[in-house]
Amino acid sequence: DPYSGDPPRHPALKVNSLKPFNAEPPAELLTENYLTPSQLFFKRNHLPVPAVDPASYRLEVEGPGGRTLSLSLPELKSRFPKHEVTATLQCAGNRRSEMNHVRPVKGLEWGIAAISTARWGGARLRDILAYAGYGGEETGEWHVCFEGLDKDLSGSAYGASIPYGKAMACEGDVLLAYEMNGEELPRDHGYPVRVVVPGVVGARNVKWLSRVLVSREESPSHWQQNDYKGFSPSVDWDTVDFTTAPAIQELPIQSAITDPPPSATVPPGELTIKGYAWSGGGRGVIRVDVSLDGGRTWHVAEMAGEEQPPGRAWAWRLWQLTAPVPTGSTELDIVCKAVDTSYNVQPDTVEPIWNLRGVLSNAWHRVHITVAQ
Ligand code: MTE
Ligand code: MO
């Protein structure tokens, strides 16, 4: 069993797939903390968790002209200043199950909690690329490609890439992280080193990082080329051509209700509703609207958590609303929708954004509950 070496996991996690391990925390626990405790942080593995010996670990960085740097863990930690970033990671498949209810899609049945937030610490990717010899003046289209130590049966490693501009921008905050929430990275989250690309889809945040290279082409990996792309609802598995769509990088505006849970029964009087809101690309969340009547009337939720600088708002905002339950109502259709700094909004329904892979599922989140009489 190639998975026999996987680490132990927290029993509260809702397991989506055991081998490889994919799990999300219970939604109500997710918004208990602004920083998700690492044990409860959602886990998305495509392959077995590699066992890495920190003493022999080397990170290979290909410099210009094929010169290769080989960095040990102590070198990575001592040669480059440690930089810390609070960033939210969201899987492209978060909320996929809602798309599946429209028409079947291919992928793991994620609920609303394939998203979590941590304080990441590590070396800036731009410092390492500069050390390897890159100056930032490369013209035309370039990409920074990453490879993981996790390999499939054919021997190909998990891989992904990001635009060179994002990697080199001072305001890009891309890290080669060796710390998560003030401790060394847990094995499930990429021990000893992972990429953290704030504002960008989870899939590019390569764990168990073994190799970095700058290339004219995006990563040749399956996950960059033939997965993690969005399509029209009209495209099916007979007609899909993965070369026609760009790889997902920055994610769109997202929000969801974590409490009360679906089908809850609440007492009459006052009701407190909680959730999260986040947008990709460093766009902050400027507002969360909440409705108790399916979207006919709206309240503005209160947001908590750090307000990060414009263009670098990498972390979610947790929000809550306390509102009177309208007298006489027996059922409530709670809805939330968020707005980001570019005034991007969430679509009201799932149908028009349905896609065969079930990615980018960000329609208004709806929770139907009963009011006790
Ligand atoms: N990196 C490697 N090496 N292998 C993987 O399977 N999964 C990716 C990304 N990085 C993956 C990886 C995907 S799809 C996501 S959503 C995030 O890691 C999940 O990160 P987490 O498990 O720390 O939450
Ligand atoms: Mo993902």
Side-chain angles (χ1 to χ4, degrees):
D1 175 6
Y3 293 92
S4 59
D6 270 22
R9 279 103 182 192
H10 197 284
L13 289 170
K14 288 159 58 181
V15 177
N16 224 315
S17 141
L18 207 52
K19 298 173 181 187
F21 192 76
N22 287 284
E24 64 188 292
E28 305 95 286
L29 288 190
L30 190 63
T31 49
E32 289 284 291
N33 306 284
Y34 176 63
L35 295 183
T36 315
S38 305
Q39 288 190 313
L40 292 176
F41 200 102
F42 85 95
K43 298 174 202 323
R44 205 288 180 242
N45 299 338
H46 290 82
L47 296 161
V49 175
V52 184
D53 168 20
S56 57
Y57 172 81
R58 293 291 181 280
L59 174 66
E60 299 219 323
V61 183
E62 251 176 55
R67 202 166 48 87
T68 299
L69 271 181
S70 173
L71 297 167
S72 70
L73 203 48
E75 282 171 331
L76 185 69
K77 291 180 179 176
S78 63
R79 225 169 250 180
F80 309 96
K82 185 166 112 186
H83 185 65
E84 288 188 68
V85 178
T86 303
T88 295
L89 218 63
Q90 182 181 221
C91 183
N94 190 31
R95 301 183 60 196
R96 177 180 284 129
S97 54
E98 292 162 67
M99 270 192 186
N100 220 14
H101 296 151
V102 172
R103 259 183 297 149
V105 295
K106 238 183 238 179
L108 295 161
E109 277 270 330
W110 292 113
I112 62 168
I115 181 168
S116 300
T117 301
R119 180 90 177 150
W120 307 97
R124 288 180 188 262
L125 175 58
R126 68 188 300 268
D127 291 349
I128 291 160
L129 290 176
Y131 184 76
Y134 290 102
E137 65 284 343
E138 274 66 25
T139 53
E141 194 187 329
W142 290 86
H143 305 270
V144 181
C145 304
F146 308 114
E147 271 177 30
L149 288 163
D150 48 338
K151 295 196 167 83
D152 65 18
L153 290 173
S154 75
S156 41
Y158 184 87
S161 61
I162 60 170
Y164 181 76
K166 169 71 176 168
M168 288 304 271
C170 194
E171 304 76 30
D173 288 320
V174 181
L175 295 186
L176 301 193
Y178 43 78
E179 279 181 16
M180 179 181 191
N181 295 329
E183 293 172 342
E184 67 182 17
L185 278 182
R187 287 189 61 208
D188 263 327
H189 298 289
Y191 178 81
V193 179
R194 83 172 301 169
V195 189
V196 173
V197 193
V200 162
V201 67
R204 314 298 167 217
N205 293 245
V206 174
K207 305 192 275 190
W208 313 292
L209 184 66
S210 64
R211 201 159 161 259
V212 176
L213 77 133
V214 175
S215 167
R216 275 285 186 195
E217 311 288 334
E218 287 184 85
S219 164
S221 96
H222 166 81
W223 295 280
Q224 190 78 19
Q225 301 292 335
N226 297 318
D227 202 355
Y228 296 112
K229 294 184 173 188
F231 292 95
S232 161
S234 64
V235 172
D236 61 27
W237 288 102
D238 294 327
T239 57
V240 66
D241 174 358
F242 273 90
T243 63
T244 61
I248 300 168
Q249 296 283 349
E250 292 180 359
L251 285 171
I253 178 76
Q254 176 70 288
S255 72
I257 300 155
T258 55
D259 203 23
S263 312
T265 300
V266 300
E270 246 182 16
L271 176 63
T272 296
I273 301 158
K274 292 184 190 173
Y276 65 78
W278 179 77
S279 191
R283 291 177 290 276
V285 174
I286 60 168
R287 203 180 74 233
V288 178
D289 298 324
V290 179
S291 173
L292 302 189
D293 55 12
R296 274 183 296 278
T297 62
W298 297 92
H299 304 257
V300 175
E302 258 172 61
M303 288 196 280
E306 270 173 50
E307 200 171 329
Q308 296 176 310
R312 293 166 93 177
W314 308 127
W316 64 14
R317 300 302 297 274
L318 300 183
W319 55 263
Q320 72 170 55
L321 173 80
T322 301
V325 174
T327 42
S329 48
T330 54
E331 287 173 79
L332 297 176
D333 271 314
I334 311 175
V335 185
C336 77
K337 63 182 178 81
V339 185
D340 74 16
T341 46
S342 297
Y343 283 99
N344 290 308
V345 296
Q346 298 174 246
D348 57 346
T349 56
V350 191
E351 286 85 350
I353 57 165
W354 183 95
N355 60 86
L356 73 174
R357 200 57 178 85
V359 293
L360 306 167
S361 183
N362 72 331
W364 296 1
H365 188 225
R366 298 159 190 271
V367 169
H368 188 85
I369 64 165
T370 304
V371 181
Q373 297 305 304

